[in-house]
Amino acid sequence: MRPYELIKAKRDGNRLEPGDIRAFIEAYTSGDVADYQMSALCMAVFFRGLDAVELGAWTRAMLESGEVLDLGDVPGVKVDKHSTGGVGDKVSLSLAPLAAACGVPVPMISGRGLGHTGGTLDKLESIPGFKVDLPVSDYRRLVREVGCCLIGQTASVAPADKKLYALRDVTATVDCIPLICSSIMSKKLAEGIDALVLDVKVGSGAFMKTVEDARLLARTMIGVGAEMGRKVTALLTDMNQPLGRAVGNALEVVEAVEMLRGRAPADYTEVTLALTAEMLVLGGRAASLAEARQKLERAVADGSAVRKLQEIVQAQGGDPRAIDDYSRLPQARAQVDVLATEEGFVTGIQTEAVGLAAVALGAGRQRVDSRIDPAVGFTLLRKVGEPVKKGDPLVRIHYNDPAPVEDVRARLLAAYTCGPRAPEPQPLILERLG
């Protein structure tokens, strides 16, 4: 089937044959199908969806577009975690060393920011010297010797997804369950894992705005994992406000390190511990979630978790001194506070608006080739349920270029709502599946 015919068939709601899907993705990977044609097909999928057979074929074609890594020489059950993306979601930065410190090998191939959400690779690269583009041989060696390696997609691992990931970011096709599922699962299954924990975000700062959509995505990915012989567990977690208080690459690195020292905000700490506990159970390092939590809390208390992070940073070419001395991380030249215009309690934060404000400030990408400023971002001085008086600071903006600051300030102010009474606290972990 020619690309035009395939695009038209899906546009009109018809089912695509697995062989045609494979041929299209192979041609896109090799450059014989243009970006505009893949964009058209993605938009058709966005509106028409993929059934289970189509999704399986799409995912397998993406997975087999490159090398499927074999980590059979690494002892133990290899477990990774993936988040569907949020604002202030720096969980991977603390979860990976925490799990590795407790004996779970963590091979992690991560992505960059998508839309209004931040990316793990961008955060890691704010650590001076940290390399995320290691060859596969180093990736295998570090998982075996250090217990963890965090890299980006190499040219040989799921190259179809690498091309498509960047394209979706700029064509408004990010928040599409079949495309999200195939992207995540092709990349994760290619990295050599035995099991996977999913953090499916739900709320105003997530791609999945409702529990129903998040549950569907989780079940879809669990099903794909089962078909490929991998154990998958999913937690649905709240993203109706940013996670923690830091938004922005270097700022989030600091908060992640603070979590490993037991000094991070309670919401970020709880989500990190819940997800990492699932990894310890899947990895056979704990018989129950309660036992896993005890081991994780011990790794924080005795310093082994933060030492593991320093070991990872050094092994990947970064400056391990930055984990102790935050002044070695990129620093914004100036700060300004966004002040409250009314009194009461913070009743809501439009989290996607906060993420888009971060992009406007330079902490994220507006185009595929946009450069990120790792130093800029926000500190949330007030979160949902906290009291505020008129004139109190709500958010601190850390910036280098003053040009976008007024627009960013207005965006942040509009993202906050206040009322006379504090809202009822909402659970962080909404549901567990798998």
Side-chain angles (χ1 to χ4, degrees):
M1 188 179 286
R2 294 186 301 115
Y4 171 86
E5 294 171 316
L6 199 77
I7 295 165
K8 183 175 184 295
K10 179 49 62 178
R11 183 201 70 184
D12 294 342
N14 296 317
R15 182 174 175 274
L16 306 181
E17 291 299 320
D20 291 332
I21 291 172
R22 173 177 287 277
F24 189 94
I25 289 176
E26 285 177 351
Y28 174 63
T29 307
S30 67
D32 292 331
V33 163
D35 278 349
Y36 62 81
Q37 291 173 305
M38 178 57 89
S39 298
L41 182 58
C42 286
M43 191 60 74
V45 170
F46 183 95
F47 286 110
R48 293 296 192 173
L50 296 173
D51 66 22
V53 173
E54 290 174 307
L55 178 57
W58 188 291
T59 304
R60 192 173 291 278
M62 299 244 295
L63 168 66
E64 295 176 353
S65 67
E67 182 181 7
V68 180
L69 302 180
D70 181 4
L71 296 180
D73 62 333
V74 178
V77 180
K78 278 71 71 177
V79 188
D80 192 9
K81 161 261 174 190
H82 182 83
S83 168
T84 56
V87 179
D89 178 12
K90 71 285 294 180
V91 167
S92 290
L93 304 183
S94 47
L95 168 145
L98 193 51
C102 292
V104 177
V106 184
M108 186 175 284
I109 296 179
S110 298
R112 300 195 179 276
L114 267 181
H116 66 280
T117 69
T120 297
L121 297 184
D122 301 319
K123 295 164 192 175
L124 289 170
E125 286 183 334
S126 68
I127 301 172
F130 196 101
K131 294 181 177 62
V132 299
D133 56 350
L134 300 178
V136 168
S137 58
D138 285 352
Y139 169 78
R140 286 195 181 98
R141 178 178 59 82
L142 292 181
V143 174
R144 184 173 59 251
E145 296 177 1
V146 179
C148 179
C149 188
L150 303 105
I151 63 170
Q153 281 176 270
T154 68
S156 64
V157 174
D161 178 65
K162 188 172 185 178
K163 287 187 69 175
L164 189 54
Y165 194 87
L167 188 68
R168 287 168 53 220
D169 189 23
V170 293
T171 57
T173 53
V174 168
D175 49 340
C176 171
I177 285 178
L179 298 180
I180 292 172
C181 177
S182 59
S183 173
I184 293 170
M185 297 306 291
S186 64
K187 189 163 52 199
K188 291 301 177 183
L189 294 173
E191 68 187 12
I193 59 169
D194 301 308
L196 178 64
V197 176
L198 296 169
D199 180 8
V200 183
K201 301 292 188 188
V202 188
S204 66
F207 294 121
M208 301 295 103
K209 305 299 184 187
T210 68
V211 170
E212 292 75 21
D213 284 346
R215 188 183 295 124
L216 175 60
L217 175 60
R219 286 178 174 161
T220 302
M221 289 193 286
I222 289 169
V224 170
E227 183 180 332
M228 304 286 188
R230 306 298 196 279
K231 293 181 180 178
V232 181
T233 297
L235 298 184
L236 309 190
T237 68
D238 179 69
M239 188 38 71
N240 278 309
Q241 62 175 328
L243 190 62
R245 294 187 182 269
V247 178
N249 298 289
L251 294 170
E252 292 188 44
V253 169
V254 172
E255 193 164 81
V257 177
E258 288 293 287
M259 187 269 147
L260 295 178
R261 293 194 165 106
R263 302 195 295 244
D267 60 341
Y268 169 43
T269 298
E270 174 57 28
V271 170
T272 302
L273 291 176
L275 290 163
T276 318
E278 297 282 353
M279 293 177 71
L280 265 61
V281 172
L282 284 176
R285 294 293 176 173
S288 67
L289 293 173
E291 181 188 343
R293 289 290 287 253
Q294 291 176 349
K295 290 189 173 185
L296 295 172
E297 289 165 3
R298 193 178 308 128
V300 171
D302 66 17
S304 59
V306 77
R307 287 194 299 272
K308 179 58 71 174
L309 176 59
Q310 289 173 314
E311 185 182 359
I312 293 166
V313 169
Q314 185 162 17
Q316 296 196 220
D319 182 358
R321 295 172 297 176
I323 303 305
D324 289 324
D325 181 2
Y326 300 146
S327 68
R328 292 182 175 274
L329 297 170
Q331 306 286 315
R333 288 192 294 269
Q335 301 174 1
V336 64
D337 289 347
V338 179
L339 305 181
T341 58
E342 52 188 318
E343 184 168 329
F345 294 86
V346 177
T347 56
I349 301 174
Q350 284 297 319
T351 311
E352 183 173 348
V354 174
L356 291 172
V359 172
L361 190 64
R365 291 178 183 80
Q366 301 193 48
R367 300 178 5 165
V368 171
D369 57 353
S370 296
R371 292 180 61 85
I372 280 180
D373 185 341
V376 304
F378 314 132
T379 303
L380 304 183
L381 304 174
R382 296 290 189 279
K383 293 190 68 177
V384 173
E386 296 179 348
V388 62
K389 295 180 180 178
K390 186 175 181 179
D392 280 352
L394 293 173
V395 184
R396 181 160 296 146
I397 302 173
H398 305 257
Y399 68 95
N400 284 320
D401 180 4
V405 168
E406 188 54 37
D407 172 56
V408 167
R409 190 197 69 81
R411 287 172 180 259
L412 291 170
L413 192 59
Y416 272 74
T417 56
C418 294
R421 288 179 296 277
E424 288 294 320
Q426 298 300 308
L428 290 168
I429 312 297
L430 306 175
E431 198 167 318
R432 180 181 183 274
L433 296 151

